[in-house]
Amino acid sequence: MSDSETVLSVLADGVLSLTLNRPDKLNSFNEEMHLALRACFERAHKDADVRAVLLTGAGRGFSAGQDLGDRDPRKGTPDLGHTIETFYNPLLRLIRSLEKPVVCAVNGVAAGAGANIAFACDITLAARSARFIQAFAKIGLVPDSGGTWSLPRLIGEARAKALALTAEPLDAETAASWGLIWRAIDDDKLIEEAKALSVRLASGPTLGLGLTKRAIQAAATNSLDEQLDLERDLQREAGRSADYAEGVTAFLEKRKPEFKGR
Ligand code: T3D
């Protein structure tokens, strides 16, 4: 468990399972939860025993984004640029730069930053009953947590603009068919499937999976030539790994490989 009860953290089978845990507030983010989640992702970066991360929420929601109880305008005007710079942007950078798979299990409503954090993860599954809401438009804000970057890339400008400007809820099936998430899963099977996927990834060649993540993310800004050069360099690195040697040896010996993430 982490020090803060706002994020429950358990490491088992190489998977660091993180549960946002403010269910009475639909797991909306206050400072304590921000700091706790950041500490967990910092651990995931440093701890070699962590080979994959699974992020989900407690109760009936995944996350309703920023805790608006901490933003009462009657008590003064907050500097939201400061809170983005201090809390949301570092979290997004930690998730995207972690060279280990990050699975997200969206167990219920994901609104505002909660939705965009889910879209920043590597493989996002959602309960069939879950909804994604770009709630920012309802309160005069701009999508953050990478939403204006990830939405047009994942689903194109027309759908991105419609979601962001109307704040209409998007159901999990549609999110999957549009390519915003990987799969919609029956509610009662979501955690089981997300855990199985996370354990499978964690027991895989995680060094190579991390390099794959780096390469795919770099494609967003690289030319084809730059990307081909990057693939050459990363393949050279992967080809020197113990996991590659084990993978090929196991294939030749017709047995199951035992990857170590090195
Ligand atoms: O501020 C900055 O630092 C800038 C960064 C901003 C990032 C953002 O995320 S801005 C967007 C903030 N989020 C929202 O605007 C979403 C607000 N919530 C909702 O629109 C709805 O709650 C939902 C559509 C997400 C879910 O609706 P529903 O009907 O299923 O649940 P509910 O009854 O509205 O909420 C249940 C409880 O959670 C309720 O508390 P209560 O009345 O039972 O004591 C509600 O107040 C609380 N809750 C839900 N969302 C938030 C929240 N409390 C605080 N902050 C929330 N965001």
Side-chain angles (χ1 to χ4, degrees):
M1 299 273 281
S2 61
D3 289 343
S4 166
E5 292 300 312
T6 56
V7 179
L8 308 179
S9 154
V10 178
L11 176 61
D13 300 323
V15 178
L16 185 65
S17 297
L18 306 175
T19 306
L20 305 176
N21 189 37
R22 302 183 70 227
D24 53 327
K25 301 285 180 195
L26 293 183
N27 304 319
S28 56
F29 279 82
N30 62 5
E31 283 198 19
E32 185 184 343
M33 194 166 96
H34 264 299
L35 294 174
L37 189 59
R38 182 193 303 176
C40 291
F41 274 100
E42 284 170 347
R43 173 185 176 188
H45 273 256
K46 288 185 211 134
D47 187 342
D49 291 339
V50 175
R51 294 181 57 195
V53 175
L54 169 59
L55 178 64
T56 191
R60 73 175 177 88
F62 173 68
S63 172
Q66 173 61 41
D67 186 331
L68 296 177
D70 291 347
R71 294 286 181 270
D72 186 344
R74 294 163 296 192
K75 297 179 184 160
T77 306
D79 176 357
L80 299 190
H82 174 76
T83 63
I84 295 291
E85 185 63 25
T86 310
F87 298 111
Y88 290 98
N89 286 355
L91 174 64
L92 263 287
R93 290 184 175 117
L94 280 167
I95 294 172
R96 297 281 298 180
S97 64
L98 180 63
E99 292 201 343
K100 301 173 185 181
V102 180
V103 175
C104 185
V106 179
N107 51 301
V109 67
N116 293 337
I117 289 166
F119 301 145
C121 295
D122 300 317
I123 303 184
T124 297
L125 309 174
R128 253 176 244 291
S129 67
R131 296 164 288 152
F132 297 91
I133 309 173
Q134 294 295 313
F136 309 93
K138 287 191 176 172
I139 54 170
L141 291 185
V142 176
D144 58 30
S145 304
T148 58
W149 188 89
S150 57
L151 287 171
R153 278 176 170 75
L154 292 171
I155 57 174
E157 197 172 309
R159 284 169 168 167
K161 281 183 182 160
L163 288 181
L165 299 181
T166 66
E168 274 186 26
L170 189 73
D171 63 87
E173 294 272 11
T174 310
S177 70
W178 285 6
L180 255 180
I181 64 166
W182 172 229
R183 272 186 193 147
I185 309 273
D186 289 342
D187 287 27
D188 59 343
K189 297 275 186 319
L190 175 72
I191 284 302
E192 190 188 316
E193 289 215 16
K195 279 187 180 158
L197 172 63
S198 305
V199 169
R200 193 175 102 202
L201 291 166
S203 64
T206 41
L207 188 145
L209 300 184
L211 298 179
T212 303
K213 173 172 174 175
R214 194 199 303 175
I216 289 177
Q217 291 181 176
T221 49
N222 273 351
S223 67
L224 175 59
D225 275 337
E226 288 167 330
Q227 195 68 15
L228 291 174
D229 287 350
L230 179 64
E231 288 179 1
R232 174 201 59 211
D233 295 344
L234 297 182
Q235 201 70 301
R236 180 171 287 138
E237 189 176 340
R240 290 177 178 144
S241 70
D243 281 346
Y244 170 67
E246 167 63 5
V248 177
T249 307
F251 175 80
L252 296 174
E253 294 176 354
K254 300 189 187 305
R255 62 173 173 79
K256 204 169 165 282
E258 282 188 35
F259 295 117
K260 304 277 186 239
R262 298 193 294 268

